[in-house]
Amino acid sequence: YNEQTVIFAFDDYYHFALLQSSIHEAWVRRNASTMRTDIRYTPTDCFETFAFPQDPPAAARAEAERSGERYYEHRRQVMLARQLGLTKTYNRLHNPACTDSDIAELRALHATMDRAILACYGWQDLDPAHGFHQNERGQTRYTISATACREILRRLLALNLEIAASDIHAVASHN
């Protein structure tokens, strides 16, 4: 381990689902720096600026928690059964030629988790269009469509501005 290691001190599957979601990934890819060709997750750019859902409905949060736990547990079982780490597991997830049932199920669980997180934001109207799409570096990934990514980024930025305005108003009212 070194200073580049980021640890999230959450003990629930809701936050796991949120931080594993394509919603957070879209934000990270937009705001992270790079080291060579790799994304460099920096908490100040990727985590502290990320607009978390504000007061998600209890049912939506509970569903995100359940879907996060199902995803985590299935991913864990895949890794144990195949004796693989995260990188090799995700290489299979993102490989369109891999049609193994356990990997197909992992993809389906990821899409379910993403939809649960969208519901926490109240964005059920957004179609994530999960599938194999090329990213900005030309890599094929199992993820949301570019159209969905742009709309998520637009909404996250608007939510960020709304939260900032609310914080400014709260500070002003305390003075």
Side-chain angles (χ1 to χ4, degrees), residues 127-140:
D127 177 11
H130 287 91
F132 292 101
H133 304 284
Q134 280 200 342
N135 66 16
E136 67 283 351
R137 298 185 320 191
Q139 300 166 311
T140 299

mmCIF file with all atom_site columns, all heavy atoms in Angstrom, residues 127-140:
data_model
loop_
_atom_site.group_PDB
_atom_site.id
_atom_site.type_symbol
_atom_site.label_atom_id
_atom_site.label_alt_id
_atom_site.label_comp_id
_atom_site.label_asym_id
_atom_site.label_entity_id
_atom_site.label_seq_id
_atom_site.pdbx_PDB_ins_code
_atom_site.Cartn_x
_atom_site.Cartn_y
_atom_site.Cartn_z
_atom_site.occupancy
_atom_site.B_iso_or_equiv
_atom_site.pdbx_formal_charge
_atom_site.auth_seq_id
_atom_site.auth_comp_id
_atom_site.auth_asym_id
_atom_site.auth_atom_id
_atom_site.pdbx_PDB_model_num
ATOM 1   N N   . ASP A 1 127 ? -32.663 6.267  -19.342 1.00 0.00 ? 127 ASP A N   1
ATOM 2   C CA  . ASP A 1 127 ? -32.342 4.921  -19.811 1.00 0.00 ? 127 ASP A CA  1
ATOM 3   C C   . ASP A 1 127 ? -30.825 4.788  -19.888 1.00 0.00 ? 127 ASP A C   1
ATOM 4   O O   . ASP A 1 127 ? -30.192 5.413  -20.742 1.00 0.00 ? 127 ASP A O   1
ATOM 5   C CB  . ASP A 1 127 ? -32.961 4.672  -21.195 1.00 0.00 ? 127 ASP A CB  1
ATOM 6   C CG  . ASP A 1 127 ? -32.597 3.312  -21.766 1.00 0.00 ? 127 ASP A CG  1
ATOM 7   O OD1 . ASP A 1 127 ? -32.034 2.463  -21.031 1.00 0.00 ? 127 ASP A OD1 1
ATOM 8   O OD2 . ASP A 1 127 ? -32.883 3.091  -22.957 1.00 0.00 ? 127 ASP A OD2 1
ATOM 9   N N   . PRO A 1 128 ? -30.221 3.973  -19.014 1.00 0.00 ? 128 PRO A N   1
ATOM 10  C CA  . PRO A 1 128 ? -28.763 3.854  -19.045 1.00 0.00 ? 128 PRO A CA  1
ATOM 11  C C   . PRO A 1 128 ? -28.233 3.121  -20.276 1.00 0.00 ? 128 PRO A C   1
ATOM 12  O O   . PRO A 1 128 ? -27.062 3.261  -20.601 1.00 0.00 ? 128 PRO A O   1
ATOM 13  C CB  . PRO A 1 128 ? -28.427 3.099  -17.758 1.00 0.00 ? 128 PRO A CB  1
ATOM 14  C CG  . PRO A 1 128 ? -29.688 2.466  -17.318 1.00 0.00 ? 128 PRO A CG  1
ATOM 15  C CD  . PRO A 1 128 ? -30.827 3.227  -17.922 1.00 0.00 ? 128 PRO A CD  1
ATOM 16  N N   . ALA A 1 129 ? -29.088 2.365  -20.960 1.00 0.00 ? 129 ALA A N   1
ATOM 17  C CA  . ALA A 1 129 ? -28.695 1.648  -22.189 1.00 0.00 ? 129 ALA A CA  1
ATOM 18  C C   . ALA A 1 129 ? -27.409 0.857  -22.005 1.00 0.00 ? 129 ALA A C   1
ATOM 19  O O   . ALA A 1 129 ? -26.444 0.995  -22.758 1.00 0.00 ? 129 ALA A O   1
ATOM 20  C CB  . ALA A 1 129 ? -28.591 2.615  -23.367 1.00 0.00 ? 129 ALA A CB  1
ATOM 21  N N   . HIS A 1 130 ? -27.385 0.003  -20.974 1.00 0.00 ? 130 HIS A N   1
ATOM 22  C CA  . HIS A 1 130 ? -26.215 -0.831 -20.720 1.00 0.00 ? 130 HIS A CA  1
ATOM 23  C C   . HIS A 1 130 ? -25.898 -1.701 -21.929 1.00 0.00 ? 130 HIS A C   1
ATOM 24  O O   . HIS A 1 130 ? -26.786 -2.197 -22.600 1.00 0.00 ? 130 HIS A O   1
ATOM 25  C CB  . HIS A 1 130 ? -26.470 -1.745 -19.513 1.00 0.00 ? 130 HIS A CB  1
ATOM 26  C CG  . HIS A 1 130 ? -26.442 -1.023 -18.220 1.00 0.00 ? 130 HIS A CG  1
ATOM 27  N ND1 . HIS A 1 130 ? -27.574 -0.477 -17.662 1.00 0.00 ? 130 HIS A ND1 1
ATOM 28  C CD2 . HIS A 1 130 ? -25.424 -0.745 -17.376 1.00 0.00 ? 130 HIS A CD2 1
ATOM 29  C CE1 . HIS A 1 130 ? -27.251 0.097  -16.526 1.00 0.00 ? 130 HIS A CE1 1
ATOM 30  N NE2 . HIS A 1 130 ? -25.956 -0.050 -16.322 1.00 0.00 ? 130 HIS A NE2 1
ATOM 31  N N   . GLY A 1 131 ? -24.630 -1.845 -22.166 1.00 0.00 ? 131 GLY A N   1
ATOM 32  C CA  . GLY A 1 131 ? -24.168 -2.688 -23.259 1.00 0.00 ? 131 GLY A CA  1
ATOM 33  C C   . GLY A 1 131 ? -22.668 -2.514 -23.416 1.00 0.00 ? 131 GLY A C   1
ATOM 34  O O   . GLY A 1 131 ? -22.007 -1.912 -22.573 1.00 0.00 ? 131 GLY A O   1
ATOM 35  N N   . PHE A 1 132 ? -22.162 -3.017 -24.502 1.00 0.00 ? 132 PHE A N   1
ATOM 36  C CA  . PHE A 1 132 ? -20.735 -2.869 -24.792 1.00 0.00 ? 132 PHE A CA  1
ATOM 37  C C   . PHE A 1 132 ? -20.556 -1.604 -25.622 1.00 0.00 ? 132 PHE A C   1
ATOM 38  O O   . PHE A 1 132 ? -21.042 -1.512 -26.741 1.00 0.00 ? 132 PHE A O   1
ATOM 39  C CB  . PHE A 1 132 ? -20.203 -4.102 -25.522 1.00 0.00 ? 132 PHE A CB  1
ATOM 40  C CG  . PHE A 1 132 ? -20.201 -5.316 -24.635 1.00 0.00 ? 132 PHE A CG  1
ATOM 41  C CD1 . PHE A 1 132 ? -21.198 -6.260 -24.735 1.00 0.00 ? 132 PHE A CD1 1
ATOM 42  C CD2 . PHE A 1 132 ? -19.215 -5.482 -23.679 1.00 0.00 ? 132 PHE A CD2 1
ATOM 43  C CE1 . PHE A 1 132 ? -21.215 -7.368 -23.907 1.00 0.00 ? 132 PHE A CE1 1
ATOM 44  C CE2 . PHE A 1 132 ? -19.213 -6.583 -22.837 1.00 0.00 ? 132 PHE A CE2 1
ATOM 45  C CZ  . PHE A 1 132 ? -20.220 -7.528 -22.950 1.00 0.00 ? 132 PHE A CZ  1
ATOM 46  N N   . HIS A 1 133 ? -19.900 -0.637 -25.022 1.00 0.00 ? 133 HIS A N   1
ATOM 47  C CA  . HIS A 1 133 ? -19.687 0.662  -25.655 1.00 0.00 ? 133 HIS A CA  1
ATOM 48  C C   . HIS A 1 133 ? -18.202 1.001  -25.602 1.00 0.00 ? 133 HIS A C   1
ATOM 49  O O   . HIS A 1 133 ? -17.503 0.592  -24.682 1.00 0.00 ? 133 HIS A O   1
ATOM 50  C CB  . HIS A 1 133 ? -20.479 1.757  -24.918 1.00 0.00 ? 133 HIS A CB  1
ATOM 51  C CG  . HIS A 1 133 ? -21.930 1.478  -24.808 1.00 0.00 ? 133 HIS A CG  1
ATOM 52  N ND1 . HIS A 1 133 ? -22.800 1.619  -25.860 1.00 0.00 ? 133 HIS A ND1 1
ATOM 53  C CD2 . HIS A 1 133 ? -22.693 1.056  -23.757 1.00 0.00 ? 133 HIS A CD2 1
ATOM 54  C CE1 . HIS A 1 133 ? -24.028 1.315  -25.461 1.00 0.00 ? 133 HIS A CE1 1
ATOM 55  N NE2 . HIS A 1 133 ? -23.989 0.964  -24.196 1.00 0.00 ? 133 HIS A NE2 1
ATOM 56  N N   . GLN A 1 134 ? -17.754 1.798  -26.557 1.00 0.00 ? 134 GLN A N   1
ATOM 57  C CA  . GLN A 1 134 ? -16.367 2.265  -26.529 1.00 0.00 ? 134 GLN A CA  1
ATOM 58  C C   . GLN A 1 134 ? -16.277 3.515  -25.668 1.00 0.00 ? 134 GLN A C   1
ATOM 59  O O   . GLN A 1 134 ? -17.126 4.401  -25.749 1.00 0.00 ? 134 GLN A O   1
ATOM 60  C CB  . GLN A 1 134 ? -15.869 2.566  -27.935 1.00 0.00 ? 134 GLN A CB  1
ATOM 61  C CG  . GLN A 1 134 ? -15.463 1.314  -28.678 1.00 0.00 ? 134 GLN A CG  1
ATOM 62  C CD  . GLN A 1 134 ? -14.536 1.622  -29.841 1.00 0.00 ? 134 GLN A CD  1
ATOM 63  O OE1 . GLN A 1 134 ? -14.449 2.744  -30.310 1.00 0.00 ? 134 GLN A OE1 1
ATOM 64  N NE2 . GLN A 1 134 ? -13.830 0.607  -30.293 1.00 0.00 ? 134 GLN A NE2 1
ATOM 65  N N   . ASN A 1 135 ? -15.227 3.572  -24.854 1.00 0.00 ? 135 ASN A N   1
ATOM 66  C CA  . ASN A 1 135 ? -15.007 4.772  -24.048 1.00 0.00 ? 135 ASN A CA  1
ATOM 67  C C   . ASN A 1 135 ? -14.139 5.764  -24.830 1.00 0.00 ? 135 ASN A C   1
ATOM 68  O O   . ASN A 1 135 ? -13.780 5.512  -25.987 1.00 0.00 ? 135 ASN A O   1
ATOM 69  C CB  . ASN A 1 135 ? -14.419 4.420  -22.675 1.00 0.00 ? 135 ASN A CB  1
ATOM 70  C CG  . ASN A 1 135 ? -13.019 3.832  -22.741 1.00 0.00 ? 135 ASN A CG  1
ATOM 71  O OD1 . ASN A 1 135 ? -12.314 3.927  -23.754 1.00 0.00 ? 135 ASN A OD1 1
ATOM 72  N ND2 . ASN A 1 135 ? -12.596 3.208  -21.657 1.00 0.00 ? 135 ASN A ND2 1
ATOM 73  N N   . GLU A 1 136 ? -13.799 6.866  -24.179 1.00 0.00 ? 136 GLU A N   1
ATOM 74  C CA  . GLU A 1 136 ? -13.028 7.925  -24.844 1.00 0.00 ? 136 GLU A CA  1
ATOM 75  C C   . GLU A 1 136 ? -11.631 7.476  -25.242 1.00 0.00 ? 136 GLU A C   1
ATOM 76  O O   . GLU A 1 136 ? -10.995 8.105  -26.083 1.00 0.00 ? 136 GLU A O   1
ATOM 77  C CB  . GLU A 1 136 ? -12.959 9.171  -23.938 1.00 0.00 ? 136 GLU A CB  1
ATOM 78  C CG  . GLU A 1 136 ? -12.160 8.999  -22.660 1.00 0.00 ? 136 GLU A CG  1
ATOM 79  C CD  . GLU A 1 136 ? -12.875 8.216  -21.550 1.00 0.00 ? 136 GLU A CD  1
ATOM 80  O OE1 . GLU A 1 136 ? -14.082 7.931  -21.689 1.00 0.00 ? 136 GLU A OE1 1
ATOM 81  O OE2 . GLU A 1 136 ? -12.218 7.876  -20.551 1.00 0.00 ? 136 GLU A OE2 1
ATOM 82  N N   . ARG A 1 137 ? -11.148 6.377  -24.674 1.00 0.00 ? 137 ARG A N   1
ATOM 83  C CA  . ARG A 1 137 ? -9.827  5.858  -25.022 1.00 0.00 ? 137 ARG A CA  1
ATOM 84  C C   . ARG A 1 137 ? -9.912  4.736  -26.050 1.00 0.00 ? 137 ARG A C   1
ATOM 85  O O   . ARG A 1 137 ? -8.916  4.086  -26.348 1.00 0.00 ? 137 ARG A O   1
ATOM 86  C CB  . ARG A 1 137 ? -9.104  5.372  -23.768 1.00 0.00 ? 137 ARG A CB  1
ATOM 87  C CG  . ARG A 1 137 ? -8.868  6.515  -22.789 1.00 0.00 ? 137 ARG A CG  1
ATOM 88  C CD  . ARG A 1 137 ? -8.069  6.145  -21.597 1.00 0.00 ? 137 ARG A CD  1
ATOM 89  N NE  . ARG A 1 137 ? -8.398  4.835  -21.046 1.00 0.00 ? 137 ARG A NE  1
ATOM 90  C CZ  . ARG A 1 137 ? -7.973  4.398  -19.881 1.00 0.00 ? 137 ARG A CZ  1
ATOM 91  N NH1 . ARG A 1 137 ? -7.217  5.150  -19.140 1.00 0.00 ? 137 ARG A NH1 1
ATOM 92  N NH2 . ARG A 1 137 ? -8.305  3.208  -19.438 1.00 0.00 ? 137 ARG A NH2 1
ATOM 93  N N   . GLY A 1 138 ? -11.118 4.493  -26.579 1.00 0.00 ? 138 GLY A N   1
ATOM 94  C CA  . GLY A 1 138 ? -11.299 3.474  -27.601 1.00 0.00 ? 138 GLY A CA  1
ATOM 95  C C   . GLY A 1 138 ? -11.417 2.056  -27.068 1.00 0.00 ? 138 GLY A C   1
ATOM 96  O O   . GLY A 1 138 ? -11.427 1.107  -27.840 1.00 0.00 ? 138 GLY A O   1
ATOM 97  N N   . GLN A 1 139 ? -11.524 1.915  -25.755 1.00 0.00 ? 139 GLN A N   1
ATOM 98  C CA  . GLN A 1 139 ? -11.674 0.592  -25.157 1.00 0.00 ? 139 GLN A CA  1
ATOM 99  C C   . GLN A 1 139 ? -13.149 0.200  -25.148 1.00 0.00 ? 139 GLN A C   1
ATOM 100 O O   . GLN A 1 139 ? -14.010 1.032  -24.868 1.00 0.00 ? 139 GLN A O   1
ATOM 101 C CB  . GLN A 1 139 ? -11.169 0.589  -23.714 1.00 0.00 ? 139 GLN A CB  1
ATOM 102 C CG  . GLN A 1 139 ? -9.727  0.962  -23.546 1.00 0.00 ? 139 GLN A CG  1
ATOM 103 C CD  . GLN A 1 139 ? -9.399  1.253  -22.096 1.00 0.00 ? 139 GLN A CD  1
ATOM 104 O OE1 . GLN A 1 139 ? -10.101 2.005  -21.436 1.00 0.00 ? 139 GLN A OE1 1
ATOM 105 N NE2 . GLN A 1 139 ? -8.330  0.644  -21.608 1.00 0.00 ? 139 GLN A NE2 1
ATOM 106 N N   . THR A 1 140 ? -13.418 -1.062 -25.420 1.00 0.00 ? 140 THR A N   1
ATOM 107 C CA  . THR A 1 140 ? -14.775 -1.571 -25.318 1.00 0.00 ? 140 THR A CA  1
ATOM 108 C C   . THR A 1 140 ? -15.019 -1.973 -23.874 1.00 0.00 ? 140 THR A C   1
ATOM 109 O O   . THR A 1 140 ? -14.226 -2.712 -23.287 1.00 0.00 ? 140 THR A O   1
ATOM 110 C CB  . THR A 1 140 ? -14.986 -2.781 -26.249 1.00 0.00 ? 140 THR A CB  1
ATOM 111 O OG1 . THR A 1 140 ? -14.770 -2.340 -27.596 1.00 0.00 ? 140 THR A OG1 1
ATOM 112 C CG2 . THR A 1 140 ? -16.385 -3.351 -26.118 1.00 0.00 ? 140 THR A CG2 1
#
